Amino acid sequence: MNRKTLVLPAVAGLLAPVLAACGGENSGSKSDDAIVVGTTDRFTATKNAPAPLDPAYAYDVGTWNILRQTVQTLMIQPKGEGDPVPEAAESCGFTDSGNERYACKLRDGLKFANGDAVTAQDVKYSIERALHIKADSGVFALLSTIDTIETQGDREVIFHLKTADATFPYKLSTPVAGIVNPKDYAKDKLRDGFSVDGSGPYTFRADTKNDEITTAIFTKNPDYKGSLKVSNDQVQMRSFADADAMGAAIDKGDIDVMTRTMSPAQINKLDAGSDENVDLVGMPGLEIRYLAFNTDAPTVKTTAVRQAMAQLIDRGELVSKVYGSQAEPLYSLVPANVTGHSNSFFNTYGDPSVTKAKSLLTRAGINTPVKLTLHYTTDHYGAATKQEFQILQKQLNASGLFDVSIQGSPWSTFRPAEQKGKYDVYGMGWFPDFPDADNFLAPFLDKNNFLGSPYDNTQIRNTLIPDSRREADRLTAAKNLTKIQDIVADEVPILPLWQGKQYVGARTDITGTSYALNSTSTLQLWELGRGVSG
């Protein structure tokens, strides 16, 4: 039996009609040397999301895991974690003492997969394009500190920032800053469909059925120049309806690797050593889950209602009954292993208390029980999500202060409805864009936030976030970061629930699995190979 559990150190998260460039339904059959990776992520063509694979639009862990293999960025998070390092760039760095001027020099001889040279002008075009389009996914907000972009010759690009931003190198490692060819991506329009073209370690094509990707095919790019060593010639990523179907496929040998989202039962089974042909690799993760509120909605507009929910929810019971050792209670938006974390919700509310929750509602003049619906997605964060929301419903209703119903919807309808403000309370997950406390706060609280939330705290937006970004030493930024977390705990525009660990299941002849995921749940398919596992 060759099962292993390996823990790595951690630091300090929809398409138009299928294009002809995509492969046919059967062209993705497993070749002799292709490594086949299973996922429960779904990539579907819908009217509401016509271009999820466009770097100027994509903003979820599944689509980013396609783009990270194919579209090159100036910077990249290194193997084994740490500060970002040059990727398409030969060198990058701040050139002033105020962290407001950032210059990069491209590697010599970079090419797009079609043979066109990659130039500094392409970098400028790509990033300005994302800022100009301002897709409703909100991903462009990651680049919001950019004022102007300057090029010098074909290899030098200089970013002039509106304000100091010590996190900017991390932002240049995210797919929204990916370098695209102007020939393939129009300046003022998203690229509909499933085609992706770039200069990354792999080229890409997709097998599709009923306007949905069934298999994503990544083939080693012979013209790739960058910091990565590619350990395979081809990886195929197959999308499954659920974790059980994915597990059956690895048992039969139809796939080699299971990624997100494995079920708690599957993880427990493999961890017990019940399958000598499949290894379980565990590693720290920075995934969080939370309840979000439309703070303009009548049911939860009064702060006391949200505070009462924060006072009632028992995170310990929730985690133990649904996820066991695979998750931990979370008392802030910032995970416990990220610099700047504070247990603000526990400091504010302590242990769950019906008496304290009732007092909050009584003082605010709220009639009880408060009737509301908790919405969740049925197919994006794993099968255990339904059970999680059943427990939340039970906890709130048991208090006698709430009359809660729950409603699940597929991600393809859930996400657009949430963005349009149709849900008063809804459950979401966050896989960080980069491992810094700023990325667990600004995407939810700043202008043009990821949730499209109407919540607006001017102290957070105008003072605390900008001041925290001025500090290159993130320990020095902790005072401002803690203040933000304390305000969130007091006003509860978002209610954090838990943070999770992450796992990969792989057949025993697959190597490189310990680096197949980094702490931000980024798939690093280039690390996978065939051989003899340890």
Side-chain angles (χ1 to χ4, degrees), residues 408-464:
S409 304
W411 182 253
S412 59
T413 56
F414 175 90
R415 176 61 171 151
E418 172 271 311
Q419 288 176 308
K420 294 175 181 177
K422 292 185 177 180
Y423 300 151
D424 295 3
V425 191
Y426 52 98
M428 291 283 285
W430 181 250
F431 301 84
D433 310 320
F434 51 87
D436 186 276
D438 178 87
N439 195 242
F440 292 91
L441 299 171
F444 308 102
L445 306 171
D446 211 351
K447 184 180 179 182
N448 298 316
N449 62 76
F450 164 74
L451 297 172
S453 171
Y455 174 75
D456 179 4
N457 183 289
T458 55
Q459 184 183 10
I460 290 176
R461 289 188 180 181
N462 299 338
T463 303
L464 296 173

Side-chain angles (χ1 to χ4, degrees), residues 11 13 61 64-65 68 77 81 170 284-287 430-436 439-440 502 517-524:
V11 288
V61 67
W64 269 24
N65 277 334
R68 289 186 190 275
Q77 293 179 49
E81 309 298 349
Y170 279 113
L286 299 178
E287 170 192 4
W430 181 250
F431 301 84
D433 310 320
F434 51 87
D436 186 276
N439 195 242
F440 292 91
Q502 55 186 4
L517 283 173
N518 70 11
S519 65
T520 61
S521 300
T522 296
L523 268 177
Q524 301 177 141

Side-chain angles (χ1 to χ4, degrees), residues 137-445:
S137 66
V139 69
F140 69 93
L142 277 172
L143 306 173
S144 62
T145 55
I146 295 174
D147 186 13
T148 60
I149 305 174
E150 172 189 356
T151 61
Q152 295 182 0
D154 286 339
R155 293 179 58 197
E156 293 187 46
V157 57
I158 301 166
F159 298 91
H160 300 278
L161 306 183
K162 299 173 185 176
T163 183
D165 187 359
T167 68
F168 190 66
Y170 279 113
K171 294 172 181 177
L172 289 182
S173 73
T174 62
V176 69
I179 308 167
V180 300
N181 193 331
K183 292 181 180 178
D184 298 319
Y185 294 82
K187 182 178 181 179
D188 57 0
K189 183 179 182 299
L190 292 171
R191 183 181 183 181
D192 293 356
F194 296 104
S195 292
V196 180
D197 294 282
S199 56
Y202 295 98
T203 60
F204 172 82
R205 67 181 177 88
D207 286 354
T208 62
K209 183 178 181 180
N210 297 329
D211 292 340
E212 183 171 356
I213 293 178
T214 56
T215 304
I217 301 146
F218 302 93
T219 303
K220 186 176 180 179
N221 178 6
D223 294 324
Y224 166 71
K225 288 188 177 182
S227 63
L228 304 174
K229 179 182 177 182
V230 183
S231 299
N232 54 69
D233 291 326
Q234 187 178 98
V235 177
Q236 299 179 9
M237 185 190 299
R238 293 187 184 172
S239 182
F240 291 88
D242 52 46
D244 288 341
M246 181 170 64
I250 201 169
D251 288 342
K252 291 189 294 184
D254 290 342
I255 64 174
D256 300 299
V257 180
M258 290 192 295
T259 58
R260 61 181 306 272
T261 303
M262 298 169 62
S263 70
Q266 286 174 328
I267 294 167
N268 289 334
K269 178 182 175 182
L270 290 175
D271 194 38
S274 60
D275 190 339
E276 63 181 12
N277 297 313
V278 180
D279 292 339
L280 179 70
V281 181
M283 58 207 72
L286 299 178
E287 170 192 4
I288 70 169
R289 299 287 176 85
Y290 58 92
L291 292 178
F293 298 91
N294 176 356
T295 54
D296 281 349
T299 58
V300 293
K301 186 173 184 177
T302 303
T303 305
V305 174
R306 307 193 301 268
Q307 291 173 330
M309 293 176 68
Q311 185 65 73
L312 289 171
I313 288 175
D314 187 337
R315 296 167 176 81
E317 179 188 49
L318 178 67
V319 167
S320 65
K321 287 188 175 180
V322 182
Y323 299 102
S325 62
Q326 299 155 29
E328 298 176 356
L330 181 63
Y331 296 94
S332 170
L333 283 174
V334 180
N337 47 341
V338 172
T339 300
H341 163 81
S342 174
N343 281 319
S344 296
F345 273 80
F346 188 82
N347 296 340
T348 302
Y349 300 98
D351 293 325
S353 169
V354 174
T355 300
K356 291 180 180 179
K358 183 176 181 179
S359 178
L360 286 165
L361 294 172
T362 299
R363 288 200 303 267
I366 302 297
N367 294 324
T368 58
V370 178
K371 189 171 183 178
L372 51 83
T373 300
L374 303 185
H375 294 266
Y376 66 94
T377 177
T378 57
D379 61 353
H380 195 66
Y381 300 121
T385 305
K386 181 178 180 179
Q387 183 185 358
E388 177 181 340
F389 273 74
Q390 289 172 336
I391 290 176
L392 290 171
Q393 177 189 31
K394 184 177 179 180
Q395 288 180 353
L396 292 169
N397 288 348
S399 71
L401 302 174
F402 286 88
D403 178 7
V404 170
S405 59
I406 60 174
Q407 182 174 331
S409 304
W411 182 253
S412 59
T413 56
F414 175 90
R415 176 61 171 151
E418 172 271 311
Q419 288 176 308
K420 294 175 181 177
K422 292 185 177 180
Y423 300 151
D424 295 3
V425 191
Y426 52 98
M428 291 283 285
W430 181 250
F431 301 84
D433 310 320
F434 51 87
D436 186 276
D438 178 87
N439 195 242
F440 292 91
L441 299 171
F444 308 102
L445 306 171

